[in-house]
Amino acid sequence: MSGSMSDVFLSFQQHLDNEQDVREEIRLAVRDLEQRARGILTLLQGIHQQTGISTIPELCAKSKAQFATVREQYQVLKSKVPEGQYYRFHDHWRYLTQRLCFLVALTVYLEEERLVEREQVADMLGLCTEQDKGFHLDLDDYLSGLLLMADELSRFAVNSVTAGNYTWPMKISVFVTEMNLGFRLLNLKNDNLRKKFDALKYDLKKVEEVVYDLSIRGLKPSGDTDAVPKSD
Amino acid sequence: MTGEGKTHEKGHHTRGHDRGGHWSSRNRQRKHDDRRHHEDRRNQDEKRDSGVDESLPVVKMFRAFQLELDDRYDRYERLVKLGRDVTIESKRIIFLLHRIIRNEDKDKILAEANRKICDLNTSALREIAMELRGQSYYLYLRAFSPGVQEYVEAVTFFHYIKDGHLITLDDIHKALVFEEQPEEPESDTAAAESTSAGENPPATFSLEITPLDYMLGIGDLTGELMRKCINAVGQGNLEEPFMLCSFLRDMYAAFLTFGNTAGRDMSRKVWTLCQSLRKVENACYTIKVRGSEIPSHMLADMFNTVYPEKESPDCG
């Protein structure tokens, strides 16, 4: 084998070995984060319980406390990713980050009844939003997280009616409608995000059905409902 | 080009005015069209969204996302187009290099190929590097990766014919470092502006090729060498097949050492490489056995018979 050829192949072999090491470490860091995310998800599932609505403030406080660990774990992950190569390994934490965005968004919504900003999510996860600063919160991931939340909220609307609370469906209806409005401003490409956005209309439909059921039975809570579109 | 970096940040549509060559004029036209379409679309959006209450915080938020996503998608599309340009031009260079039949033509064709490669460097590849300045490289990699692989194939093929050995990635990178062109006054003034503005953009910028793209490009190169080998027999050159054969054997052995670690693309390439190598080896075999018996122009036909394709586990 001529000299240049063996050099070429040797250096590529080194490149492969190196990459494998990096991936290995990233995988470990991501696994820890996934575990934590599952913990928070299980915690927040409490809202669907019969008595869940009254425990919302507690659940949110607990969930917020858990994000402190998430922040630390993201710092670990951050340190494993070589500079300028965020998107090279993005697939390893893409889904995880979407899930965590969803959890942050849900926590904030339950507490403050508003849509969480991207900066705030990034802050809760210990990340930044500018992509030139290295490890950041990708816009796609944030938006996917919001769409995951819409799905969860449509479920929550149903369950809150079962639990005898008729105000949440009203609020959720306004909220999801607004979110839908926002998403319709985006010119989405035919990719994963678009696919998730396409599912948003079903969540909206579900919530609207719940509101309809309540209305025709006269179960609509009086007072704020007629002027509902002006939330807060 | 230092000056362009500045305009680039403001908006990419204003770029592309100071580049020479046939690429730029075409691209300028194209970019102009892009922009017009874009503005049309924006206007339509505005009309359609007139019912949207712009004061809602959600709407304000998503307007910003709209801008960011549009920028990302547009850049991606531009890179896909540039990548396609690189692919087409690289394929042409490869065809050109296959046209080397007699030794007398060789220098002339090599010179022409060299000129084409340089053209490509200073046009499409340079624009790719421009688009990627200050951007996340790997976010857009998939847009132009096929083009880059084709380019690697063309360049390595060129250098193999010229010098008989494999050019390294570092050597390829040397040609992909760009700086401002001194003969263009426009860029000089732009450079002066940017320094006076207190910015310090790097004096040079470069296009990185990932090692994987390079290796996949080399994998393609083996296919070209196989074609070259068969062509050589057709032209009555009975020494070259043996040289190519040993080169390919070395390459195949080296590729096998990677195993499954290099991804699915690579495994497929190695399998194809195995097929090419078998073809070349069979050609060499036929030359040895039958070479003295039949005229060389008939030999070429014999290689076109299809060999049974066996899938052996060690072929990847």
Side-chain angles (χ1 to χ4, degrees):
Chain A
M1 208 189 288
S2 71
S4 71
M5 204 201 280
S6 60
D7 282 352
V8 165
F9 283 90
L10 208 63
S11 70
F12 185 64
Q13 185 67 55
Q14 273 163 4
H15 168 80
L16 283 181
D17 292 345
N18 190 16
E19 178 174 298
Q20 211 147 28
D21 289 347
V22 174
R23 281 189 197 281
E24 211 67 53
E25 292 202 8
I26 289 175
R27 237 170 256 146
L28 281 177
V30 168
R31 205 180 56 192
D32 290 345
L33 267 166
E34 266 168 355
Q35 212 160 15
R36 179 61 51 194
R38 273 200 301 274
I40 301 175
L41 183 64
T42 319
L43 180 78
L44 286 176
Q45 287 303 300
I47 58 170
H48 297 296
Q49 297 294 337
Q50 195 66 31
T51 54
I53 293 170
S54 56
T55 58
I56 283 177
E58 280 170 57
L59 292 177
C60 288
K62 274 191 199 161
S63 135
K64 273 192 163 166
Q66 300 237 29
F67 277 106
T69 335
V70 170
R71 264 194 292 276
E72 280 165 31
Q73 282 168 334
Y74 259 115
Q75 294 308 314
V76 175
L77 178 59
K78 217 170 170 172
S79 67
K80 308 285 184 209
V81 181
E83 203 169 325
Q85 304 193 357
Y86 178 88
Y87 287 102
R88 181 170 169 201
F89 303 106
H90 189 193
D91 282 337
H92 287 286
W93 58 79
R94 188 197 295 269
Y95 183 62
L96 162 81
T97 307
Q98 291 173 4
R99 272 256 286 262
L100 282 165
C101 281
F102 150 54
L103 293 170
V104 172
L106 186 61
T107 309
V108 169
Y109 176 68
L110 290 174
E111 256 191 341
E112 306 170 34
E113 290 170 27
R114 64 176 178 86
L115 188 60
V116 69
E117 292 109 17
R118 186 178 171 204
E119 283 72 23
Q120 197 184 354
V121 180
D123 196 46
M124 289 269 277
L125 303 179
L127 307 175
C128 60
T129 51
E130 299 93 345
Q131 63 171 357
D132 41 338
K133 283 195 186 148
F135 204 101
H136 60 280
L137 175 64
D138 186 59
L139 181 57
D140 267 26
D141 290 348
Y142 164 72
L143 293 173
S144 301
L146 294 187
L147 292 170
L148 280 173
M149 173 178 61
D151 184 42
E152 187 75 9
L153 285 181
S154 71
R155 192 181 149 214
F156 179 54
V158 171
N159 289 333
S160 60
V161 172
T162 317
N165 182 315
Y166 303 144
T167 48
W168 272 112
M170 300 299 160
K171 287 190 268 191
I172 290 173
S173 165
V174 174
F175 179 73
V176 176
T177 309
E178 255 185 41
M179 210 165 97
N180 188 44
L181 199 68
F183 271 98
R184 286 205 10 222
L185 292 179
L186 306 177
N187 306 308
L188 293 176
K189 224 170 42 162
N190 215 358
D191 60 359
N192 271 330
L193 185 61
R194 164 75 181 276
K195 235 179 268 168
K196 283 177 199 141
F197 165 63
D198 286 344
L200 181 63
K201 58 175 178 276
Y202 299 112
D203 300 329
L204 189 59
K205 189 170 169 233
K206 184 80 224 164
V207 179
E208 279 169 355
E209 274 169 10
V210 173
V211 172
Y212 170 75
D213 282 341
L214 293 179
S215 311
I216 57 163
R217 288 172 180 80
L219 295 171
K220 222 158 78 166
S222 55
D224 57 336
T225 46
D226 286 333
V228 119
K230 284 278 163 274
S231 63
D232 297 333
Chain B
M1 193 166 298
T2 47
E4 282 184 356
K6 222 181 83 189
T7 48
H8 183 58
E9 251 121 61
K10 284 188 213 143
H12 23 263
H13 300 307
T14 51
R15 304 184 308 98
H17 52 83
D18 58 348
R19 241 161 286 127
H22 62 288
W23 289 99
S24 77
S25 55
R26 208 197 306 167
N27 285 344
R28 197 184 315 152
Q29 184 58 44
R30 205 166 59 190
K31 231 150 244 165
H32 185 68
D33 288 347
D34 276 357
R35 177 157 107 195
R36 220 179 37 219
H37 286 313
H38 196 73
E39 276 165 4
D40 284 351
R41 203 178 62 191
R42 201 37 75 66
N43 290 337
Q44 276 171 11
D45 280 353
E46 236 81 80
K47 269 178 219 140
R48 202 187 58 204
D49 296 339
S50 54
V52 172
D53 180 2
E54 293 288 337
S55 63
L56 277 177
V58 176
V59 171
K60 276 184 195 145
M61 222 163 107
F62 276 82
R63 283 275 179 222
F65 299 154
Q66 181 191 43
L67 284 180
E68 194 174 331
L69 282 179
D70 282 352
D71 176 63
R72 185 184 281 195
Y73 294 157
D74 289 351
R75 189 183 310 279
Y76 192 89
E77 288 307 318
R78 285 198 300 275
L79 281 166
V80 168
K81 282 184 194 163
L82 287 170
R84 226 171 275 148
D85 288 344
V86 174
T87 307
I88 293 166
E89 193 57 20
S90 300
K91 277 202 202 299
R92 285 191 187 141
I93 293 170
I94 292 167
F95 274 112
L96 176 69
L97 288 169
H98 273 304
R99 257 170 248 148
I100 298 177
I101 298 172
R102 292 165 303 163
N103 258 333
E104 304 90 77
D105 302 334
K106 193 173 164 184
D107 286 339
K108 214 181 93 203
I109 290 183
L110 278 181
E112 197 186 337
N114 192 25
R115 191 177 53 74
K116 282 188 171 226
I117 289 174
C118 288
D119 274 357
L120 194 56
N121 285 343
T122 52
S123 56
L125 286 166
R126 190 170 189 284
E127 280 197 46
I128 291 179
M130 286 287 302
E131 288 285 0
L132 290 171
R133 284 180 80 182
Q135 298 292 325
S136 308
Y137 179 85
Y138 286 95
L139 178 58
Y140 301 102
L141 178 60
R142 249 177 308 173
F144 60 91
S145 173
V148 164
Q149 286 174 27
E150 205 69 31
Y151 171 76
V152 169
E153 181 182 346
V155 172
T156 48
F157 192 39
F158 170 76
H159 282 276
Y160 178 76
I161 293 176
K162 194 163 149 257
D163 310 320
H165 67 74
L166 198 58
I167 185 176
T168 62
L169 182 54
D170 287 338
D171 285 333
I172 294 181
H173 273 156
K174 272 175 202 150
L176 296 178
V177 176
F178 309 105
E179 36 192 303
E180 53 189 293
Q181 286 158 327
E183 73 272 11
E184 284 182 67
E186 255 184 314
S187 60
D188 276 347
T189 52
E193 270 170 33
S194 71
T195 38
S196 64
E199 279 182 85
N200 46 346
T204 58
F205 60 100
S206 58
L207 180 65
E208 289 277 319
I209 293 176
T210 63
L212 185 62
D213 278 344
Y214 172 69
M215 287 318 274
L216 291 174
I218 290 186
D220 292 335
L221 166 71
T222 57
E224 299 308 324
L225 294 179
M226 181 270 287
R227 278 175 58 194
K228 189 170 168 49
C229 170
I230 305 300
N231 285 344
V233 182
Q235 290 143 17
N237 183 342
L238 296 186
E239 286 101 61
E240 201 172 4
F242 290 95
M243 276 159 56
L244 285 166
C245 184
S246 93
F247 187 76
L248 284 180
R249 265 186 204 135
D250 284 347
M251 207 112 118
Y252 180 59
F255 267 109
L256 278 184
T257 60
F258 299 144
N260 280 332
T261 50
R264 202 153 20 106
D265 285 346
M266 189 62 98
S267 304
R268 254 202 328 257
K269 285 266 149 80
V270 175
W271 191 79
T272 323
L273 170 52
C274 179
Q275 297 302 307
S276 301
L277 180 60
R278 295 286 298 267
K279 212 163 168 181
V280 173
E281 280 177 342
N282 279 318
C284 291
Y285 165 83
T286 316
I287 293 169
K288 265 278 180 315
V289 178
R290 314 282 302 271
S292 50
E293 295 169 14
I294 53 171
S296 54
H297 68 271
M298 285 176 67
L299 270 176
D301 294 335
M302 304 191 59
F303 303 140
N304 290 329
T305 52
V306 183
Y307 298 103
E309 292 191 353
K310 276 182 288 184
E311 270 193 70
S312 72
D314 53 2
C315 285

